[in-house]
Amino acid sequence: MSPRRIAVIECPEEIPCNPCETVCPQGAIQVGNPITSRPRLDTRHCIGCGACVAACPGLAIFLVSSDNNGPDEVTFPYEFLPRPEPGESVTAVNRDGESLGPAWVKACWQPQGADGTYLVTITLPVGLATKARGIRRPSHDR
Amino acid sequence: MSALTIARSGAQVVLIDENDQPGGQLCKQIHKFFGSKDHRAGVRGYRIATELLEDCAAAGVEILTDTVVFSIQDCTLGLAHRDDCFYLKAQAIILATGASENPLAFPGSTLPGVMGAGAAQTFVNLHRVLPGRRVLMVGGGNVGLIVSYQLLQAGAQVVGVVEALPRLSGYQVHAAKIKRAGVPIWTGHTVLEANGDQEVQEVTVAAVDDHFQPLPGSERTLAVDTICLAVGLTPLAELAWQAGCRFFYQSALGGQVPLHSVNMESTVPHIYVAGDMAGVEEASTALEEGTIAGLAAATAMGCSVPQAELEAAQERLASLRRGPFGDLRQRAKSELIKRWTDCHPGE
Ligand SMILES: Cc1cc2nc3c(=O)[nH]c(=O)nc-3n(C[C@H](O)[C@H](O)[C@H](O)COP(=O)(O)OP(=O)(O)OC[C@H]3O[C@@H](n4cnc5c(N)ncnc54)[C@H](O)[C@@H]3O)c2cc1C
Ligand code: SF4
Ligand code: SF4
């Protein structure tokens, strides 16, 4: 059985914003009134579709899946060119851009209405799903 | 937004902008916007500008581009378009001239390569030219953070962001984007000097104490070819000064701002103000203020405007000024409105 993929929202401040709430087809995210409230996710309803990941202007939502039997998977929004290719080997980085070691691009995809933003799904060693939030690409270093 | 609102109320509207495309800041914002659905959140800024313009054209707004307003007197505007100069008389005028970037003086700040962050943004997003390859960003507000990200997208290297305050004033989600990309953010730091032969070649930054004085020994010198300044915006309100509007200093709104009513009327009859020139905020608040000014001006000109629409816009505006980021601006705005009311006893 493949591990369940769910959204993780890292939006720590009370800012006037709610596209995550309006875009979720499952109604799993609630911002409510006032619009400056922080988003809350009801994980029971999340199907990991990624719509909120692409819609969030703060690029603050990720999809994470982990179980003990296989590698972890993290999905994050990506707005740089060139687009990562499936199979590309990359370096996973944490929230401070520090290396966490090797990872592999599993997919580069767009949910509906993504408007230019790509979602990159990487696989990486077990236990890193809570830390990995982006990639560096040795093959494209400037 | 003002122009659109008034045109939809049935009045004749002329929209004047000095650029070849109206839309102001929105035209160069390639990122998705914050806000709610009503404020087109999640839509990229330049698309909001295009949509608004199309709506304006459809509503019959006459659009004068490449045209500078150089004077205003008793509801008559002086306009300059290329070599031509002419005057336009109006029943009501809405000033929405935006804001200008603040400079910062330091040794070397006049070297080529030192520029406003907004200028760098215009380079990469409008003209598709990279202003430099190694950039230092000065200022950790949303403009500094967003433009840093956009410079990375354009292929530049951002060697760091310095912010003199002990913490960033921009949103953490914007800071997180560039941190993940490996850009160091130095809070409690300032720029000391820039050096270079003909243009910027290096910059020295240092940590500062509680009084913003550089701490000896903390200096570090970085090789850069560009220094971007994102140290705040000041309302561009010359026309309102010329018209004789009363002002009040509000640092939370960027400096001297014209007094205005809840309906965005200035202290001069028939002149309304909206957006960053009436207090530097955000596009979402600028859109709502524009709507309110438009509805109020249309009412004053005798068009029938549902009062509920005006109230709804005022409510949406208030909701945008809540929370830790909006609170200061809300208080500053209330003060402006109170002072406007003091000048208009009985209203
Ligand atoms: C980098 C950056 C990122 C931003 N991100 C966001 C965001 O995510 N969400 C958000 O809500 N807001 C954001 N903003 C803020 C937002 O862009 C501004 O608050 C908003 O555009 C203000 O609109 P305005 O119409 O008042 O002014 P402007 O957009 O500045 O428009 C003013 C226009 O008037 C013209 N003008 C001025 N004087 C004259 C004259 N005398 N004659 C003729 N024309 C004149 C100017 O050329 C300009 O076109 C951002 C701003 C920046 C700089
Ligand atoms: S991943 Fe899909 S279902 Fe889950 S919260 Fe986001 S939009 Fe909703
Ligand atoms: S869309 Fe993103 S930035 Fe906006 S409230 Fe939701 S999580 Fe926060």
Side-chain angles (χ1 to χ4, degrees):
Chain A
M1 200 185 89
S2 69
R4 191 167 157 244
R5 183 162 81 183
I6 55 168
V8 171
I9 306 181
E10 303 187 352
C11 181
E13 294 170 315
E14 290 173 25
I15 54 180
C17 185
N18 72 3
C20 52
E21 176 180 40
T22 32
V23 84
C24 175
Q26 301 293 309
I29 302 179
Q30 203 204 338
V31 174
N33 252 323
I35 189 178
T36 45
S37 310
R38 289 181 51 197
R40 281 189 312 258
L41 173 74
D42 187 338
T43 51
R44 289 170 308 177
H45 295 131
C46 175
I47 54 168
C49 69
C52 59
V53 181
C56 168
L59 307 190
I61 310 183
F62 306 84
L63 300 178
V64 168
S65 42
S66 55
D67 71 0
N68 295 328
N69 303 321
D72 283 2
E73 248 184 57
V74 174
T75 300
F76 49 86
Y78 194 79
E79 298 186 321
F80 295 96
L81 290 171
R83 274 195 327 253
E85 296 291 335
E88 188 178 325
S89 48
V90 294
T91 304
V93 298
N94 66 12
R95 294 178 184 82
D96 292 320
E98 295 159 353
S99 166
L100 295 169
W104 294 268
V105 175
K106 182 177 176 189
C108 180
W109 52 293
Q110 283 190 303
Q112 265 216 313
D115 187 18
T117 304
Y118 274 84
L119 305 195
V120 174
T121 302
I122 54 170
T123 52
L124 69 174
V126 176
L128 290 178
T130 56
K131 298 202 179 91
R133 289 297 175 265
I135 48 171
R136 248 199 327 267
R137 301 167 71 190
S139 48
H140 292 90
D141 260 354
R142 305 181 184 113
Chain B
M1 200 66 214
S2 263
L4 182 58
T5 310
I6 302 176
R8 283 184 175 159
S9 310
Q12 193 191 345
V13 185
V14 184
L15 174 63
I16 306 160
D17 199 290
E18 62 194 354
N19 297 301
D20 53 13
Q21 191 203 349
Q25 294 295 323
L26 290 177
C27 301
K28 54 183 191 182
Q29 311 297 344
I30 58 169
H31 60 288
K32 294 180 181 169
F33 265 51
F34 284 81
S36 70
K37 211 172 192 167
D38 298 330
H39 307 110
R40 303 175 207 227
V43 180
R44 297 183 192 275
Y46 70 93
R47 278 205 235 284
I48 303 178
T50 317
E51 285 171 22
L52 281 174
L53 264 183
E54 284 167 4
D55 292 350
C56 277
V61 173
E62 187 184 338
I63 300 171
L64 299 183
T65 53
D66 252 324
T67 306
V68 179
V69 180
F70 63 82
S71 74
I72 177 168
Q73 196 173 27
D74 301 333
C75 272
T76 300
L77 296 175
L79 308 180
H81 171 72
R82 302 204 178 115
D83 293 337
D84 285 342
C85 175
F86 51 101
Y87 291 87
L88 190 71
K89 190 159 171 45
Q91 258 179 291
I93 294 174
I94 293 163
L95 296 173
T97 42
S100 60
E101 297 195 273
N102 294 341
L104 185 70
F106 51 87
S109 63
T110 54
L111 281 170
V114 181
M115 65 185 78
Q121 194 184 38
T122 305
F123 268 123
V124 292
N125 294 349
L126 280 185
H127 305 303
R128 302 179 185 224
V129 174
L130 210 50
R133 303 217 161 259
R134 286 176 58 83
V135 185
L136 176 80
M137 181 64 65
V138 182
N142 279 332
V143 172
L145 298 174
I146 292 174
V147 174
S148 292
Y149 181 70
Q150 293 178 351
L151 284 165
L152 293 173
Q153 286 182 304
Q157 201 186 340
V158 180
V159 301
V161 176
V162 292
E163 164 60 57
L165 294 171
R167 51 164 305 192
L168 297 177
S169 57
Y171 297 162
Q172 280 187 38
V173 289
H174 286 314
K177 291 179 198 175
I178 61 171
K179 274 198 211 163
R180 288 200 287 277
V183 176
I185 297 179
W186 297 300
T187 51
H189 275 69
T190 191
V191 51
L192 284 189
E193 61 176 355
N195 282 300
D197 241 356
Q198 303 285 318
E199 55 191 8
V200 174
Q201 287 170 318
E202 57 178 42
V203 63
T204 304
V205 301
V208 292
D209 63 19
D210 296 347
H211 306 285
F212 298 108
Q213 294 308 307
L215 290 166
S218 69
E219 302 85 358
R220 77 175 98 190
T221 298
L222 308 158
V224 296
D225 55 20
T226 307
I227 300 172
C228 287
L229 306 176
V231 291
L233 302 167
T234 300
L236 198 63
E238 280 83 353
L239 290 172
W241 285 106
Q242 233 187 76
C245 298
R246 286 217 208 165
F247 280 71
F248 187 63
Y249 184 84
Q250 286 290 26
S251 63
L253 297 173
Q256 292 285 353
V257 272
L259 301 185
H260 61 74
S261 70
V262 275
N263 286 340
M264 306 311 299
E265 304 160 79
S266 73
T267 51
V268 174
H270 315 299
I271 295 186
Y272 298 76
V273 292
D276 279 358
M277 73 79 71
V280 174
E281 294 189 86
E282 303 196 319
S284 43
T285 46
L287 289 170
E288 292 300 0
E289 286 191 346
T291 305
I292 293 168
L295 291 169
T299 311
M301 290 185 296
C303 304
S304 86
V305 170
Q307 211 48 33
E309 234 177 89
L310 191 58
E311 280 158 22
Q314 278 161 350
E315 223 159 85
R316 289 195 301 269
L317 185 56
S319 78
L320 290 169
R321 293 185 181 137
R322 296 177 71 151
F325 291 94
D327 200 41
L328 261 181
R329 289 184 276 119
Q330 176 67 59
R331 269 184 277 159
K333 278 287 183 178
S334 302
E335 179 68 28
L336 288 183
I337 293 168
K338 185 184 157 292
R339 283 173 184 267
W340 182 91
T341 315
D342 291 346
C343 302
H344 297 78
E347 278 189 50

